[in-house]
Amino acid sequence: MDITIHTSTLPHDDPEASLAFWRDALGFEVRNDVGEGKMRWIRVGPPGQPDTSILLAPPVVDPGVTDDERRTVTEMMAKGTYGWILLATEDLDGTFRKGAGQRRRGRPGADAPGLWVSRLRLQGSRG
């Protein structure tokens, strides 16, 4: 069986800040942008990798989510602990310099020789 990950989702509460990071700083392509205001679903992906995407989506829009759950998610987004994704690059320092000095967590990983893996603080979240 051949299964690939097509899209992963990250929450955002500021679509313009998210675009400034993913598109402008890191150079990801915008593949789709639906909605208006803060209620926008934006699909981005690395150039040359059309089968891999990140969906930047407003958090907790499901009507079944309680006010307490919304508050918890908002607090976790502010701390950078809700929603994360691992990215890999051969030039971690250069990539993060492109990211306009965005905070980086973690340390280089040894998952693949020559690659460093680090957790990015979610862009577009408060905090």
Side-chain angles (χ1 to χ4, degrees):
M1 183 182 327
D2 185 17
I3 298 176
T4 61
I5 297 173
H6 180 268
T7 305
S8 294
T9 302
L10 291 176
H12 76 76
D13 64 3
D14 185 346
E16 294 306 320
S18 293
L19 283 171
F21 180 75
W22 292 100
R23 178 193 60 205
D24 302 338
L26 292 186
F28 278 35
E29 301 169 335
V30 176
R31 302 196 174 137
N32 203 358
D33 188 342
V34 178
E36 59 185 58
K38 288 193 172 194
M39 296 299 287
R40 284 169 59 192
W41 287 259
I42 305 164
R43 192 167 55 93
V44 298
Q49 297 180 46
D51 295 332
T52 302
S53 297
I54 298 170
L55 176 64
L56 307 170
V60 292
V61 294
D62 188 307
V65 175
T66 68
D67 288 341
D68 285 342
E69 291 167 333
R70 280 187 181 83
R71 195 170 18 264
T72 298
V73 168
T74 300
E75 290 169 1
M76 291 177 71
M77 284 179 67
K79 291 188 329 186
T81 58
Y82 182 83
W84 54 279
I85 190 167
L86 295 176
L87 302 175
T89 180
E90 293 182 10
D91 181 12
L92 184 65
D93 291 330
T95 300
F96 280 94
R97 276 193 298 276
K98 277 180 61 178
Q102 300 298 323
R103 187 171 78 182
R104 153 176 112 198
R105 294 182 178 195
R107 60 184 178 80
D111 296 31
L115 296 180
W116 283 12
V117 180
S118 181
R119 186 172 143 192
L120 287 176
R121 185 178 180 287
L122 182 62
Q123 297 307 304
S125 64
R126 294 183 187 106

